[in-house]
Amino acid sequence: MDEISVVRFEHRDDPLGIGEERPRLSWQVAGRPGWRQAAYELTIGEEFFHVESADSVLVPWPATPLEPREAREVRARVIGADGEVSDWSDPVTVERGLTLSEWQADLIEPAHDERGPAALLRRSFTARGDVVRARLHITAHGIYQAELNGQRVGDHTLTPGWTSYRHRLRHQTYDVTPMLRAGENAIGVQVADGWWRGRVGFVPEWRDTYGSSLGLLAQLEIEYTDGRRQVVATDDSWRSATGPIRKADLYEGETYDATQERPGWSSPGYDEREWAGARRGQRDLATLVAPTGPPVRAVEERTAVETITTPSGRTVLDFGQNMVGRLRISVRGRRGSTITMRHAEVLENGELGVRPLRTAEATDRYILRGDLDGECWEPSFTLHGFRYAEVGGDYDDLDAVAVVYHSDMRRTGWFDCSDPMLNQLHENVLWGMRGNFVDIPTDCPQRDERLGWTGDVQVFAPTSSYLYDSAGLLASWLADLSADQTEAGVVPLFVPRVDFPGPFADPAPTAGWSDAAVIVPWVLFQRFGDTGLLRRQYASMRAWVDGLTDLLGPASLFDKPALQLGDWLDPAAPPDAPWRAETDAHLVATAYRVHVADTMARIAEEIGQEADAAKYAELADGVRQAFHDEFVTQNGRIAGSGQTGYALALEFGLLPDPDQRARAAEQLVRLVREKEHKVATGFLGTPVICDALTSAGAVDDAYRMLLQTEYPSWLYPVTMGATTIWERWDSMLPDGSINPGEMTSFNHYALGAVADWMHRVVAGLASGSPGYRTLLVEPRPGGGLTWARTAHRTPYGLAEVAWERAAGELRVRVTVPTGSTAVVALPGAERQEVGCGQHRFAVPYRDPADDPR
């Protein structure tokens, strides 16, 4: 009998407080080899549905819409083409959150709103009866942590997260039924500056990006067994104060004075007479939205692998892994003593390497209350990017663990092979993503920046969508991207948009960065099969592409504005001018313009906009001709270009003439060999260079580039002990000193986009149709590797490809999930299509890398 998973709603694992009235449904089936679904049946509450369809991913909600607060139990079962019916899935309850008309709460602000300390807000109330259900709906201007009767509510961190606050503010829903008691109760909430009014960006004095006052919006709804309903909502009856958190900033760190704790402040019976009141604030409740992705949570703990005494006599803990999180300390010492914790990614000259942090202090401080039995503390409202933590102060004894935080996405992708250095590279990519997918996709997690740079996630989206189920998180980020576009359709360089003074204050059209508006939704469609996302983002895509056409004309180069970021941070760029790449920036921009117009044509066709499809195809052809006229010689050479220009021309279809394409491919291979297979690409060239070599028939050269260990290369950082992807190819110089450039992050995932090629080409697993409905299995062994394997939890289930070379054969094992088929293309063999189940293949094979010549 076939087994069916529980039903999933949209892209959420936890469907409590969902925002959609008609959430789409998905499930997976573990069927027999060759099994095919012919129909499915659903029970939704009291309703029953039979649907003749083979679909099981993001299928339409067939029932009456969910009302606000309404919960329904959902089960599914499937019927095979042979007529056999599966068992029902385990029931799962979906519950819709509040809509605008259901909010009774007012935004409140602390009466004395001190900058720096976290605010405490509380309210006592009486529960009269037996509680059957209680929900806390809550959000804040700032970041909050709620408590009920002295217990923490939920396990989320940095909630409500970072959105384009003026347009979209997330609210969370928590089930607090077990936390209530008959009689007196109390709710308390801490609110800190966070992104709302704390430091954001690399202008040190910049504050109050979205507002100057902290705020809380909370609505506790209690339902009793007799049908009565009680609402405890924020209003001016709440009381406010400050407590032990004296400073809380995402960049600077947190200071906690345990001598100023207020025991019992969130419990009933607390004496609040010395507390001040709360005042009413302003918030357009129409901007409230439910989350579409997972919250930030603690996901792992790590102990120090070494305790180091630095040349200056300081104590530094080495946790062996560059990560994002914070320390939890257990300490015993004298009351009033201060423990100071400084964080950094690397050591330099044996000391903490803090220069790359720029103006971010990244320092936490804990002032002891002096408990004889010791005390335990972990910050609440900050995170740091670090491997090393320097701990100082007056204490008797101290233990520390590093707690790792990121958005709690489901892990979906794995890779390993016979080369340990490639495995470490892949692990570095994974940790780079973990550290930078903290509510939004950021560029780096440690210095005074941590912004949602659009170009970084544009190039990394294929990799992120393989490693983790990032669809919900990126869908939310794309909604902010739409909200933050200018009237002319320009997409900011980073989303959410921050208009601090400087060169990025006025968004300008920027190829590769603004293009995230089109490319990221298309990648998510290819990987998750979400046509609805294409439709939701379509107006944003059109605004960007049509606005750029209004500026540049329909068949012209992308040569405005004068400054483009281009192939950012290629190895040729000087430390103080990262845009000065080997390949002309306007060549790169024009290539991207063609690529995006081509992609828009495909998107328009996918969602039934046939007139637009024709329009954008025509736009692509016109700009492609302009690119050809400006940059391409008759014999296929590309002027003003290094490796990146040729790779983009080949991969973006800019050379329709076969002879020119062949000559360009030859020229690319020549350039790569002239560099001795060292990388010569930056942020925009790196994701395509190995694919361009592969499609040019030079997969062996792609392998040699991947396996190069000398700078600049992917493996050079591995030889230097890196545990994440660096921002620069040489963020650390061979002598162990830090690159002198101002932008020198040691956790910056963009150059790790090569992992997508490792999944698709080295291991051989790619999406052949949207959502992996069809798998493309085409491993291309090389580089002397003797085996490789990858697995990806697709929307239909787990897909795997594993190959090994033995006895003159390439032996391949393929696992195809139920609901998918696979096209298998092995070297020297005919393509064949197989259904679900596990399959084995063997073909004669010899790796050219094994040839002693």
Side-chain angles (χ1 to χ4, degrees):
M1 180 61 67
D2 306 303
E3 295 182 4
I4 182 171
S5 70
V6 297
V7 175
R8 196 169 185 238
F9 303 87
E10 293 295 330
H11 297 288
R12 288 184 59 173
D13 289 318
D14 175 11
L16 175 63
I18 201 163
E20 293 82 1
E21 65 176 11
R22 296 177 181 271
R24 296 169 297 171
L25 315 173
S26 302
W27 57 87
Q28 295 178 357
V29 180
R32 299 177 302 278
W35 185 90
R36 291 183 296 110
Q37 176 184 306
Y40 61 85
E41 293 179 338
L42 300 168
T43 62
I44 301 179
E46 301 300 318
E47 299 177 273
F48 172 82
F49 303 91
H50 176 93
V51 181
E52 299 286 333
S53 172
D55 294 336
S56 59
V57 173
L58 298 173
V59 302
W61 174 269
T64 54
L66 287 168
E67 297 294 330
R69 304 186 186 87
E70 184 181 7
R72 293 192 210 171
E73 187 178 273
V74 178
R75 296 186 302 164
R77 69 181 180 186
V78 294
I79 303 169
D82 57 4
E84 189 172 1
V85 182
S86 76
D87 291 335
W88 287 101
S89 65
D90 291 336
V92 60
T93 298
V94 58
E95 182 176 322
R96 193 176 174 201
L98 300 185
T99 56
L100 174 61
S101 61
E102 275 69 44
W103 281 97
Q104 298 173 235
D106 295 318
L107 182 85
I108 60 171
E109 299 171 347
H112 304 298
D113 193 2
E114 299 179 46
R115 181 171 301 283
L120 304 180
L121 296 121
R122 78 178 305 275
R123 158 82 188 272
S124 296
F125 62 96
T126 301
R128 299 184 176 90
D130 295 326
V131 176
V132 66
R133 187 169 82 159
R135 300 289 186 264
L136 176 61
H137 308 279
I138 183 170
T139 190
H141 285 173
I143 49 181
Y144 72 84
Q145 187 168 292
E147 298 181 16
L148 189 59
N149 295 329
Q151 294 180 279
R152 181 176 171 181
V153 175
D155 58 359
H156 303 184
T157 295
L158 307 186
T159 42
W162 189 12
T163 51
S164 178
Y165 289 132
R166 296 186 181 93
H167 306 99
R168 302 173 65 250
L169 176 64
R170 292 195 213 106
H171 62 91
Q172 286 73 36
T173 300
Y174 301 94
D175 180 359
V176 294
T177 310
M179 303 177 72
L180 290 175
R181 61 184 71 164
E184 286 301 305
N185 294 262
I187 181 173
V189 184
Q190 296 185 79
V191 184
D193 293 350
W195 298 281
W196 176 263
R197 73 173 191 183
R199 284 197 60 190
V200 178
F202 35 76
V203 178
E205 64 275 11
W206 186 257
R207 300 288 195 282
D208 299 343
T209 298
Y210 302 98
S212 58
S213 298
L214 299 176
L216 173 67
L217 183 76
Q219 186 161 312
L220 173 63
E221 300 189 349
I222 308 170
E223 297 178 22
Y224 296 101
T225 53
D226 60 6
R228 288 181 298 117
R229 182 169 165 269
Q230 179 183 0
V231 176
V232 179
T234 45
D235 56 25
D236 54 13
S237 69
W238 285 55
R239 309 292 287 171
S240 65
T242 58
I245 297 180
R246 308 314 301 161
K247 181 177 76 171
D249 186 89
L250 293 169
Y251 293 3
E252 307 295 355
E254 185 167 316
T255 298
Y256 186 99
D257 186 349
T259 67
Q260 297 191 40
E261 288 179 336
R262 297 178 179 269
W265 74 276
S266 63
S267 297
Y270 177 78
D271 184 356
E272 61 183 30
R273 286 175 296 178
E274 294 183 358
W275 287 40
R279 62 176 185 262
R280 295 178 188 267
Q282 297 294 320
R283 182 74 211 183
D284 179 2
L285 300 188
T287 61
L288 299 183
V289 296
T292 61
V296 176
R297 286 191 176 102
V299 296
E300 183 179 336
E301 295 180 7
R302 299 182 71 92
T303 57
V305 298
E306 184 181 5
T307 299
I308 301 167
T309 300
T310 72
S312 65
R314 301 173 186 266
T315 299
V316 171
L317 305 177
D318 175 7
F319 290 94
Q321 173 63 54
N322 196 7
M323 69 188 88
V324 168
R326 52 208 188 197
L327 295 189
R328 184 171 66 241
I329 60 170
S330 299
V331 61
R332 189 168 54 85
R334 180 176 52 83
R335 180 179 176 85
S337 296
T338 299
I339 309 301
T340 301
M341 292 151 278
R342 301 170 67 216
H343 304 77
E345 297 181 293
V346 295
L347 299 179
E348 186 175 33
N349 299 322
E351 303 285 350
L352 216 60
V354 296
R355 181 173 59 81
L357 301 178
R358 299 192 303 212
T359 63
E361 188 178 350
T363 300
D364 298 326
R365 296 177 176 88
Y366 179 72
I367 302 170
L368 278 71
R369 59 178 173 267
D371 289 0
L372 294 178
D373 294 332
E375 45 207 283
C376 183
W377 177 73
E378 177 188 329
S380 297
F381 296 113
T382 192
L383 291 177
H384 308 292
F386 70 102
R387 170 175 171 171
Y388 300 93
E390 179 187 290
V391 180
D394 179 15
Y395 55 84
D396 296 330
D397 55 68
L398 182 146
D399 291 317
V401 296
V403 186
V404 179
Y405 284 85
H406 61 74
S407 290
D408 194 13
M409 306 165 289
R410 292 191 305 162
R411 176 81 182 270
T412 55
W414 297 265
F415 170 92
D416 61 344
C417 69
S418 59
D419 189 314
M421 294 190 72
L422 285 187
N423 294 337
Q424 184 62 55
L425 172 64
H426 192 267
E427 190 74 1
N428 292 0
V429 174
L430 182 78
W431 275 94
M433 178 180 173
R434 296 178 81 187
N436 281 293
F437 274 55
V438 178
D439 199 67
I440 67 165
T442 58
D443 59 328
C444 61
Q446 71 298 98
R447 67 181 180 227
D448 55 354
E449 191 164 355
R450 313 185 199 186
L451 301 171
W453 283 87
T454 48
D456 298 49
V457 73
Q458 180 268 122
V459 299
F460 194 72
T463 300
S464 73
S465 300
Y466 193 93
L467 295 175
Y468 283 93
D469 182 354
S470 55
L473 181 150
L474 290 177
S476 176
W477 181 80
L478 285 167
D480 290 318
L481 182 150
S482 301
D484 283 342
Q485 283 178 266
T486 69
E487 291 185 4
V490 176
V491 177
L493 286 171
F494 31 81
V495 171
R497 178 176 168 179
V498 183
D499 293 329
F500 47 72
F504 305 122
D506 186 18
T510 309
W513 277 257
S514 298
D515 293 326
V518 175
I519 295 173
V520 175
W522 180 244
V523 170
L524 296 184
F525 168 67
Q526 291 174 311
R527 300 304 177 92
F528 298 100
D530 192 347
T531 308
L533 179 67
L534 294 182
R535 294 193 174 97
R536 286 194 297 273
Q537 293 298 129
Y538 192 63
S540 165
M541 301 180 205
R542 288 190 59 182
W544 160 239
V545 177
D546 292 351
L548 188 64
T549 301
D550 291 342
L551 174 69
L552 300 177
S556 65
L557 304 175
F558 194 155
D559 54 3
K560 300 175 186 176
L563 178 64
Q564 287 287 322
L565 299 183
D567 195 25
W568 183 260
L569 279 173
D570 89 344
D576 59 345
W579 62 89
R580 291 182 183 167
E582 185 177 10
T583 297
D584 181 89
H586 293 107
L587 181 156
V588 172
T590 305
Y592 256 89
R593 191 180 179 205
V594 176
H595 176 54
V596 167
D598 274 333
T599 303
M600 276 296 290
R602 298 173 69 183
I603 291 171
E605 184 177 6
E606 189 67 43
I607 63 175
Q609 300 288 334
E610 295 182 2
D612 278 358
K615 178 181 80 171
Y616 292 122
E618 182 180 0
L619 173 64
D621 288 341
V623 181
R624 183 180 288 109
Q625 187 61 51
F627 177 93
H628 188 276
D629 293 345
E630 179 73 13
F631 296 111
V632 183
T633 68
Q634 186 174 0
N635 65 358
R637 288 182 177 269
I638 300 176
S641 177
Q643 292 180 10
T644 289
Y646 284 94
L648 292 176
L650 292 167
E651 286 305 295
F652 289 178
L654 304 181
L655 303 170
D657 181 87
D659 289 338
Q660 287 185 329
R661 182 176 178 82
R663 292 186 182 120
E666 292 173 359
Q667 182 67 5
L668 173 62
V669 173
R670 186 183 67 80
L671 289 175
V672 168
R673 291 174 179 174
E674 284 180 352
K675 295 280 188 180
E676 297 179 322
H677 296 90
K678 296 175 184 175
V679 176
T681 56
F683 276 27
L684 299 187
T686 295
V688 297
I689 183 66
C690 286
D691 277 304
L693 289 168
T694 302
S695 60
V699 68
D700 294 330
D701 290 281
Y703 267 103
R704 291 184 65 182
M705 179 177 279
L706 179 67
L707 294 167
Q708 172 65 259
T709 58
E710 295 183 12
Y711 164 80
S713 68
W714 284 286
L715 295 186
Y716 165 73
V718 174
T719 69
M720 296 294 291
T723 61
T724 43
I725 298 298
W726 295 350
E727 180 176 20
R728 296 175 180 269
W729 296 107
D730 60 344
S731 286
M732 180 171 284
L733 303 182
D735 63 3
S737 62
I738 298 170
N739 187 294
E742 182 185 350
M743 288 172 294
T744 305
S745 161
F746 291 90
N747 192 352
H748 215 100
Y749 55 63
L751 299 178
V754 70
D756 183 54
W757 185 82
M758 294 165 67
H759 302 147
R760 291 182 291 101
V761 180
V762 176
L765 177 59
S767 176
S769 62
Y772 290 85
R773 191 64 178 267
T774 304
L775 311 177
L776 179 58
V777 177
E778 192 173 4
R780 302 289 297 272
L785 299 185
T786 57
W787 61 268
R789 58 187 172 222
T790 191
H792 178 57
R793 195 169 298 281
T794 77
Y796 295 92
L798 189 67
E800 295 182 86
V801 176
W803 61 259
E804 64 175 347
R805 296 192 293 117
E809 288 185 329
L810 177 66
R811 299 171 182 173
V812 183
R813 186 183 75 251
V814 179
T815 301
V816 182
T818 304
S820 295
T821 58
V823 175
V824 181
L826 302 181
E830 293 290 329
R831 288 181 174 236
Q832 55 182 304
E833 184 172 328
V834 296
C836 69
Q838 192 169 101
H839 309 272
R840 294 180 181 274
F841 307 88
V843 295
Y845 184 79
R846 182 183 63 82
D847 190 337
D850 295 336
D851 191 332
R853 295 175 295 176

